[in-house]
Amino acid sequence: MGLLTRAQEFLRLKVGELSPAMQEDFANGNINFSDSVYYKRYEVTSAAGLLDLLYNDDAIKDGFTNISKQKIKQGCAIMIDRITFRAGYVDSTETTANPANVVYLPISQVAATNAILANCELEIDVAQLNIFQSPVNSFNQESVGINGEKDGIILTAPKLITDAQEMQFRLHVPQGLSVGNDKRYFVEVALRGAELRVK
């Protein structure tokens, strides 16, 4: 096994918490470590108090996500050490959600035209436990060691997610806000770190 990144080393130390089958594959050298990104792209169309960004049928609803049915792909485990959040928009005249047309801006600029994005919080749950919650405007801060992206938060305690655990991304939105109808707004949530995958 070659030199491991910080997240890969944390993941190696958690092998004992994986399924018996994955532990056996690890013992037999039948696994690969790699960098990993799991993300969800979502159009914000309402101003409910709690917006669920993941659904059981995501594989059908959203062609821009590699999270399916609220789980990571089978035979994988990931160690998350960074979370990124992006926000963008297209003109309301656009009828498709083509990601190539979305204008992504610093959250502070997007939020200036959208009260929801200016005031909401991002929550991430794994196995029904809240592992992360933060105002989205905290993603404006540029941190050291996040590959040049300005919209990331590095977790001081990386989080293990296995293929057996359900995940949920939610936006907490203050009551009484409206999305507006001059633009269509999108958010992207990405879990970044290391992946252990059965060969």
Side-chain angles (χ1 to χ4, degrees):
M1 192 179 302
L3 184 65
L4 300 178
T5 65
R6 170 182 180 261
Q8 289 171 1
E9 178 62 18
F10 276 118
L11 183 52
R12 184 187 68 81
L13 295 173
K14 292 286 189 177
V15 167
E17 297 181 25
L18 305 180
S19 68
M22 290 188 73
Q23 291 184 49
E24 183 177 345
D25 281 312
F26 181 84
N28 294 333
N30 191 30
I31 54 92
N32 282 330
F33 283 100
S34 64
D35 293 334
S36 181
V37 177
Y38 279 78
Y39 75 97
K40 168 66 182 182
R41 187 167 172 276
Y42 179 85
E43 182 176 2
V44 179
T45 58
S46 67
L50 194 62
L51 302 181
D52 287 322
L53 308 190
L54 294 179
Y55 297 97
N56 283 325
D57 56 350
D58 264 339
I60 299 171
K61 277 183 174 291
D62 189 344
F64 303 106
T65 179
N66 60 0
I67 299 170
S68 178
K69 297 184 178 178
Q70 298 179 341
K71 294 183 180 180
I72 63 172
K73 56 194 171 189
Q74 192 171 2
C76 293
I78 56 176
M79 182 66 71
I80 301 306
D81 66 354
R82 182 162 62 100
I83 299 171
T84 60
F85 182 94
R86 292 204 305 172
Y89 64 86
V90 295
D91 288 336
S92 59
T93 54
E94 295 245 6
T95 57
T96 62
N98 184 347
N101 297 332
V102 178
V103 178
Y104 288 101
L105 295 169
I107 291 172
S108 58
Q109 291 183 33
V110 177
T113 63
N114 185 301
I116 287 180
L117 295 179
N119 294 283
C120 68
E121 287 187 332
L122 173 67
E123 171 191 314
I124 298 177
D125 296 342
V126 176
Q128 299 181 344
L129 294 176
N130 186 321
I131 67 164
F132 178 85
Q133 188 163 337
S134 177
V136 296
N137 60 18
S138 66
F139 286 90
N140 285 332
Q141 304 304 314
E142 183 172 9
S143 302
V144 176
I146 61 171
N147 303 323
E149 295 196 31
K150 297 182 179 181
D151 53 359
I153 290 178
I154 296 174
L155 301 180
T156 54
K159 306 296 184 183
L160 172 69
I161 305 174
T162 70
D163 59 358
Q165 295 174 315
E166 286 194 351
M167 295 184 290
Q168 188 59 63
F169 302 165
R170 294 186 175 95
L171 285 180
H172 291 252
V173 181
Q175 295 290 340
L177 299 181
S178 62
V179 178
N181 50 20
D182 59 328
K183 294 180 173 61
R184 297 174 61 193
Y185 291 93
F186 296 85
V187 297
E188 287 187 6
V189 179
L191 308 181
R192 300 171 184 269
E195 178 176 281
L196 183 153
R197 182 174 61 254
V198 175
K199 293 179 181 177

